[in-house]
Amino acid sequence: DTAVSQTPKYLVTQMGNDKSIKCEQNLGHDTMYWYKQDSKKFLKIMFSYNNKELIINETVPNRFSPKSPDKAHLNLHINSLELGDSAVYFCASTPPGQYNSPLHFGNGTRLTVT
Amino acid sequence: DQQVKQNSPSLSVQEGRISILNCDYTNSMFDYFLWYKKYPAEGPTFLISISSIKDKNEDGRFTVFLNKSAKHLSLHIVPSQPGDSAVYFCAASGASNYQLIWGAGTKLIIKP
């Protein structure tokens, strides 16, 4: 009965490859997010998405793109992976219509680019 | 430019005593503050929050205090239990979850 699930949990790949991380939530939430936790442990938002609006953090390289087939899924595609992309990526979601409602996070995907 | 700062990377507290985790912010436009708890290999989980119109919010063993003039908030855990050992993140929001700014976290270790 996992609420927000991400796959894979670990991803090791070489520079230049293209990879995807999948995220699914069964909470009935309508807004989903991708966060990156860098080496200094800061959590930084990459994208916020609901069926009406995609908000992109302008500091995120356009090699990163979110893809949402439906309200329950928000996948993260990364093209031409670079060493600096190594980090832990967290998916999260929030319910509809609630201002500043707490985020529900997945358990993260540790991406290592070699 | 860190708008939310948790200056203590780690904190060690004896079981049964009070744990106090601190967080400072610089942006006076922040109006909502949250604490999240994170265990290794898991995502952060929401713990407690406070709106800027309040100066205290309590939930069981957890109390958050907000001092707007000092731009400071703190999380008190009393009594501390072994299961409280985790990393605690402070986060501050202006207008929406998209604008949530996070601190770097404080690792709390509860000693038996």
Side-chain angles (χ1 to χ4, degrees):
Chain A
D1 62 343
T2 304
V4 181
S5 60
Q6 298 178 225
T7 53
K9 190 169 181 66
Y10 300 97
L11 181 55
V12 181
T13 187
Q14 292 184 329
M15 284 175 55
N17 285 347
D18 302 337
K19 289 293 179 184
S20 295
I21 305 172
K22 295 184 176 181
C23 179
E24 175 182 4
Q25 54 91 9
N26 62 5
L27 296 167
H29 291 174
D30 72 341
T31 304
M32 297 182 73
Y33 310 79
W34 276 105
Y35 273 85
K36 178 180 180 180
Q37 186 178 29
D38 61 23
S39 57
K40 295 183 178 179
K41 305 302 181 186
F42 285 101
L43 280 157
K44 294 182 180 176
I45 192 162
M46 302 175 71
F47 306 100
S48 165
Y49 182 78
N50 63 26
N51 58 359
K52 299 175 186 174
E53 188 177 25
L54 169 65
I55 303 177
I56 302 171
N57 183 333
E58 64 271 13
T59 66
V60 174
N62 57 16
R63 299 180 294 103
F64 290 78
S65 59
K67 297 280 194 295
S68 180
D70 55 57
K71 276 177 49 174
H73 296 83
L74 184 66
N75 303 324
L76 182 64
H77 294 263
I78 317 169
N79 294 326
S80 303
L81 278 155
E82 300 178 357
L83 292 175
D85 297 333
S86 295
V88 181
Y89 293 84
F90 288 98
C91 177
S93 68
T94 51
Q98 295 184 27
Y99 171 70
N100 274 326
S101 53
L103 294 153
H104 294 250
F105 283 89
N107 285 335
T109 296
R110 182 175 292 278
L111 171 65
T112 303
V113 182
T114 60
Chain B
D1 177 28
Q2 296 178 41
Q3 296 187 63
V4 177
K5 298 180 185 179
Q6 294 178 256
N7 291 320
S8 298
S10 65
L11 175 67
S12 187
V13 174
Q14 201 74 36
E15 182 179 356
R17 307 292 284 267
I18 184 171
S19 296
I20 300 176
L21 296 99
N22 294 305
C23 178
D24 296 296
Y25 62 96
T26 58
N27 190 337
S28 57
M29 298 300 290
F30 289 144
D31 63 359
Y32 197 70
F33 304 88
L34 307 96
W35 285 94
Y36 284 79
K37 175 180 179 179
K38 183 184 181 302
Y39 292 119
E42 294 184 11
T45 55
F46 171 71
L47 194 56
I48 193 169
S49 62
I50 189 167
S51 163
S52 60
I53 63 173
K54 294 186 176 181
D55 54 18
K56 177 183 174 181
N57 188 25
E58 192 171 352
D59 183 2
R61 296 186 297 113
F62 303 92
T63 303
V64 57
F65 295 92
L66 176 61
N67 182 334
K68 288 187 290 294
S69 61
K71 294 191 179 69
H72 177 84
L73 64 155
S74 60
L75 174 68
H76 293 213
I77 306 172
V78 55
S80 300
Q81 298 175 353
D84 297 330
S85 294
V87 176
Y88 289 79
F89 288 96
C90 168
S93 173
S96 71
N97 272 318
Y98 181 75
Q99 298 181 358
L100 202 60
I101 306 297
W102 296 73
T106 296
K107 183 175 184 178
L108 176 64
I109 301 164
I110 304 301
K111 299 180 292 185

mmCIF file with all atom_site columns, all heavy atoms in Angstrom, chain A residues 50-61:
data_model
loop_
_atom_site.group_PDB
_atom_site.id
_atom_site.type_symbol
_atom_site.label_atom_id
_atom_site.label_alt_id
_atom_site.label_comp_id
_atom_site.label_asym_id
_atom_site.label_entity_id
_atom_site.label_seq_id
_atom_site.pdbx_PDB_ins_code
_atom_site.Cartn_x
_atom_site.Cartn_y
_atom_site.Cartn_z
_atom_site.occupancy
_atom_site.B_iso_or_equiv
_atom_site.pdbx_formal_charge
_atom_site.auth_seq_id
_atom_site.auth_comp_id
_atom_site.auth_asym_id
_atom_site.auth_atom_id
_atom_site.pdbx_PDB_model_num
ATOM 1  N N   . ASN A 1 50 ? 0.711  19.627 -12.307 1.00 0.00 ? 50 ASN A N   1
ATOM 2  C CA  . ASN A 1 50 ? -0.615 19.041 -12.209 1.00 0.00 ? 50 ASN A CA  1
ATOM 3  C C   . ASN A 1 50 ? -1.225 19.080 -13.597 1.00 0.00 ? 50 ASN A C   1
ATOM 4  O O   . ASN A 1 50 ? -0.560 19.457 -14.564 1.00 0.00 ? 50 ASN A O   1
ATOM 5  C CB  . ASN A 1 50 ? -1.481 19.727 -11.150 1.00 0.00 ? 50 ASN A CB  1
ATOM 6  C CG  . ASN A 1 50 ? -1.739 21.175 -11.483 1.00 0.00 ? 50 ASN A CG  1
ATOM 7  O OD1 . ASN A 1 50 ? -1.722 21.582 -12.639 1.00 0.00 ? 50 ASN A OD1 1
ATOM 8  N ND2 . ASN A 1 50 ? -1.964 21.970 -10.461 1.00 0.00 ? 50 ASN A ND2 1
ATOM 9  N N   . ASN A 1 51 ? -2.492 18.671 -13.688 1.00 0.00 ? 51 ASN A N   1
ATOM 10 C CA  . ASN A 1 51 ? -3.048 18.518 -15.038 1.00 0.00 ? 51 ASN A CA  1
ATOM 11 C C   . ASN A 1 51 ? -3.264 19.860 -15.727 1.00 0.00 ? 51 ASN A C   1
ATOM 12 O O   . ASN A 1 51 ? -3.649 19.920 -16.879 1.00 0.00 ? 51 ASN A O   1
ATOM 13 C CB  . ASN A 1 51 ? -4.346 17.714 -14.998 1.00 0.00 ? 51 ASN A CB  1
ATOM 14 C CG  . ASN A 1 51 ? -5.378 18.365 -14.103 1.00 0.00 ? 51 ASN A CG  1
ATOM 15 O OD1 . ASN A 1 51 ? -5.117 19.401 -13.505 1.00 0.00 ? 51 ASN A OD1 1
ATOM 16 N ND2 . ASN A 1 51 ? -6.540 17.770 -14.010 1.00 0.00 ? 51 ASN A ND2 1
ATOM 17 N N   . LYS A 1 52 ? -2.994 20.913 -15.016 1.00 0.00 ? 52 LYS A N   1
ATOM 18 C CA  . LYS A 1 52 ? -3.179 22.228 -15.615 1.00 0.00 ? 52 LYS A CA  1
ATOM 19 C C   . LYS A 1 52 ? -1.874 22.962 -15.897 1.00 0.00 ? 52 LYS A C   1
ATOM 20 O O   . LYS A 1 52 ? -1.806 23.810 -16.773 1.00 0.00 ? 52 LYS A O   1
ATOM 21 C CB  . LYS A 1 52 ? -4.019 23.109 -14.676 1.00 0.00 ? 52 LYS A CB  1
ATOM 22 C CG  . LYS A 1 52 ? -5.406 22.579 -14.397 1.00 0.00 ? 52 LYS A CG  1
ATOM 23 C CD  . LYS A 1 52 ? -6.108 23.440 -13.360 1.00 0.00 ? 52 LYS A CD  1
ATOM 24 C CE  . LYS A 1 52 ? -7.451 22.835 -12.957 1.00 0.00 ? 52 LYS A CE  1
ATOM 25 N NZ  . LYS A 1 52 ? -8.086 23.570 -11.854 1.00 0.00 ? 52 LYS A NZ  1
ATOM 26 N N   . GLU A 1 53 ? -0.873 22.634 -15.126 1.00 0.00 ? 53 GLU A N   1
ATOM 27 C CA  . GLU A 1 53 ? 0.286  23.509 -15.189 1.00 0.00 ? 53 GLU A CA  1
ATOM 28 C C   . GLU A 1 53 ? 1.577  22.761 -14.884 1.00 0.00 ? 53 GLU A C   1
ATOM 29 O O   . GLU A 1 53 ? 1.644  21.975 -13.944 1.00 0.00 ? 53 GLU A O   1
ATOM 30 C CB  . GLU A 1 53 ? 0.102  24.627 -14.162 1.00 0.00 ? 53 GLU A CB  1
ATOM 31 C CG  . GLU A 1 53 ? 1.135  25.736 -14.225 1.00 0.00 ? 53 GLU A CG  1
ATOM 32 C CD  . GLU A 1 53 ? 0.819  26.833 -13.221 1.00 0.00 ? 53 GLU A CD  1
ATOM 33 O OE1 . GLU A 1 53 ? 0.140  26.546 -12.215 1.00 0.00 ? 53 GLU A OE1 1
ATOM 34 O OE2 . GLU A 1 53 ? 1.251  27.966 -13.430 1.00 0.00 ? 53 GLU A OE2 1
ATOM 35 N N   . LEU A 1 54 ? 2.582  23.027 -15.686 1.00 0.00 ? 54 LEU A N   1
ATOM 36 C CA  . LEU A 1 54 ? 3.921  22.529 -15.404 1.00 0.00 ? 54 LEU A CA  1
ATOM 37 C C   . LEU A 1 54 ? 4.781  23.722 -15.040 1.00 0.00 ? 54 LEU A C   1
ATOM 38 O O   . LEU A 1 54 ? 4.861  24.697 -15.790 1.00 0.00 ? 54 LEU A O   1
ATOM 39 C CB  . LEU A 1 54 ? 4.511  21.831 -16.633 1.00 0.00 ? 54 LEU A CB  1
ATOM 40 C CG  . LEU A 1 54 ? 6.001  21.476 -16.571 1.00 0.00 ? 54 LEU A CG  1
ATOM 41 C CD1 . LEU A 1 54 ? 6.263  20.432 -15.487 1.00 0.00 ? 54 LEU A CD1 1
ATOM 42 C CD2 . LEU A 1 54 ? 6.501  20.992 -17.926 1.00 0.00 ? 54 LEU A CD2 1
ATOM 43 N N   . ILE A 1 55 ? 5.379  23.674 -13.867 1.00 0.00 ? 55 ILE A N   1
ATOM 44 C CA  . ILE A 1 55 ? 6.291  24.730 -13.457 1.00 0.00 ? 55 ILE A CA  1
ATOM 45 C C   . ILE A 1 55 ? 7.686  24.137 -13.419 1.00 0.00 ? 55 ILE A C   1
ATOM 46 O O   . ILE A 1 55 ? 7.917  23.125 -12.764 1.00 0.00 ? 55 ILE A O   1
ATOM 47 C CB  . ILE A 1 55 ? 5.924  25.303 -12.077 1.00 0.00 ? 55 ILE A CB  1
ATOM 48 C CG1 . ILE A 1 55 ? 4.490  25.829 -12.086 1.00 0.00 ? 55 ILE A CG1 1
ATOM 49 C CG2 . ILE A 1 55 ? 6.885  26.429 -11.692 1.00 0.00 ? 55 ILE A CG2 1
ATOM 50 C CD1 . ILE A 1 55 ? 4.017  26.335 -10.746 1.00 0.00 ? 55 ILE A CD1 1
ATOM 51 N N   . ILE A 1 56 ? 8.559  24.766 -14.142 1.00 0.00 ? 56 ILE A N   1
ATOM 52 C CA  . ILE A 1 56 ? 9.922  24.262 -14.255 1.00 0.00 ? 56 ILE A CA  1
ATOM 53 C C   . ILE A 1 56 ? 10.856 25.216 -13.530 1.00 0.00 ? 56 ILE A C   1
ATOM 54 O O   . ILE A 1 56 ? 10.827 26.432 -13.759 1.00 0.00 ? 56 ILE A O   1
ATOM 55 C CB  . ILE A 1 56 ? 10.345 24.151 -15.729 1.00 0.00 ? 56 ILE A CB  1
ATOM 56 C CG1 . ILE A 1 56 ? 9.386  23.231 -16.491 1.00 0.00 ? 56 ILE A CG1 1
ATOM 57 C CG2 . ILE A 1 56 ? 11.771 23.655 -15.850 1.00 0.00 ? 56 ILE A CG2 1
ATOM 58 C CD1 . ILE A 1 56 ? 9.606  23.229 -17.984 1.00 0.00 ? 56 ILE A CD1 1
ATOM 59 N N   . ASN A 1 57 ? 11.707 24.670 -12.674 1.00 0.00 ? 57 ASN A N   1
ATOM 60 C CA  . ASN A 1 57 ? 12.748 25.488 -12.080 1.00 0.00 ? 57 ASN A CA  1
ATOM 61 C C   . ASN A 1 57 ? 13.732 25.838 -13.189 1.00 0.00 ? 57 ASN A C   1
ATOM 62 O O   . ASN A 1 57 ? 14.313 24.949 -13.822 1.00 0.00 ? 57 ASN A O   1
ATOM 63 C CB  . ASN A 1 57 ? 13.428 24.693 -10.960 1.00 0.00 ? 57 ASN A CB  1
ATOM 64 C CG  . ASN A 1 57 ? 14.483 25.508 -10.237 1.00 0.00 ? 57 ASN A CG  1
ATOM 65 O OD1 . ASN A 1 57 ? 15.073 26.430 -10.797 1.00 0.00 ? 57 ASN A OD1 1
ATOM 66 N ND2 . ASN A 1 57 ? 14.728 25.171 -8.993  1.00 0.00 ? 57 ASN A ND2 1
ATOM 67 N N   . GLU A 1 58 ? 13.920 27.117 -13.420 1.00 0.00 ? 58 GLU A N   1
ATOM 68 C CA  . GLU A 1 58 ? 14.713 27.531 -14.572 1.00 0.00 ? 58 GLU A CA  1
ATOM 69 C C   . GLU A 1 58 ? 16.181 27.139 -14.467 1.00 0.00 ? 58 GLU A C   1
ATOM 70 O O   . GLU A 1 58 ? 16.903 27.192 -15.452 1.00 0.00 ? 58 GLU A O   1
ATOM 71 C CB  . GLU A 1 58 ? 14.606 29.046 -14.791 1.00 0.00 ? 58 GLU A CB  1
ATOM 72 C CG  . GLU A 1 58 ? 15.162 29.897 -13.667 1.00 0.00 ? 58 GLU A CG  1
ATOM 73 C CD  . GLU A 1 58 ? 14.124 30.201 -12.613 1.00 0.00 ? 58 GLU A CD  1
ATOM 74 O OE1 . GLU A 1 58 ? 13.056 29.558 -12.632 1.00 0.00 ? 58 GLU A OE1 1
ATOM 75 O OE2 . GLU A 1 58 ? 14.370 31.084 -11.782 1.00 0.00 ? 58 GLU A OE2 1
ATOM 76 N N   . THR A 1 59 ? 16.610 26.720 -13.270 1.00 0.00 ? 59 THR A N   1
ATOM 77 C CA  . THR A 1 59 ? 18.001 26.289 -13.136 1.00 0.00 ? 59 THR A CA  1
ATOM 78 C C   . THR A 1 59 ? 18.192 24.838 -13.585 1.00 0.00 ? 59 THR A C   1
ATOM 79 O O   . THR A 1 59 ? 19.324 24.371 -13.675 1.00 0.00 ? 59 THR A O   1
ATOM 80 C CB  . THR A 1 59 ? 18.486 26.419 -11.685 1.00 0.00 ? 59 THR A CB  1
ATOM 81 O OG1 . THR A 1 59 ? 17.758 25.487 -10.864 1.00 0.00 ? 59 THR A OG1 1
ATOM 82 C CG2 . THR A 1 59 ? 18.266 27.835 -11.160 1.00 0.00 ? 59 THR A CG2 1
ATOM 83 N N   . VAL A 1 60 ? 17.104 24.128 -13.837 1.00 0.00 ? 60 VAL A N   1
ATOM 84 C CA  . VAL A 1 60 ? 17.208 22.728 -14.246 1.00 0.00 ? 60 VAL A CA  1
ATOM 85 C C   . VAL A 1 60 ? 17.555 22.658 -15.729 1.00 0.00 ? 60 VAL A C   1
ATOM 86 O O   . VAL A 1 60 ? 16.865 23.265 -16.557 1.00 0.00 ? 60 VAL A O   1
ATOM 87 C CB  . VAL A 1 60 ? 15.880 21.986 -13.983 1.00 0.00 ? 60 VAL A CB  1
ATOM 88 C CG1 . VAL A 1 60 ? 15.928 20.563 -14.535 1.00 0.00 ? 60 VAL A CG1 1
ATOM 89 C CG2 . VAL A 1 60 ? 15.579 21.970 -12.486 1.00 0.00 ? 60 VAL A CG2 1
ATOM 90 N N   . PRO A 1 61 ? 18.605 21.935 -16.080 1.00 0.00 ? 61 PRO A N   1
ATOM 91 C CA  . PRO A 1 61 ? 18.962 21.823 -17.520 1.00 0.00 ? 61 PRO A CA  1
ATOM 92 C C   . PRO A 1 61 ? 17.836 21.182 -18.323 1.00 0.00 ? 61 PRO A C   1
ATOM 93 O O   . PRO A 1 61 ? 17.079 20.342 -17.815 1.00 0.00 ? 61 PRO A O   1
ATOM 94 C CB  . PRO A 1 61 ? 20.195 20.905 -17.495 1.00 0.00 ? 61 PRO A CB  1
ATOM 95 C CG  . PRO A 1 61 ? 20.725 20.979 -16.107 1.00 0.00 ? 61 PRO A CG  1
ATOM 96 C CD  . PRO A 1 61 ? 19.551 21.220 -15.218 1.00 0.00 ? 61 PRO A CD  1
#
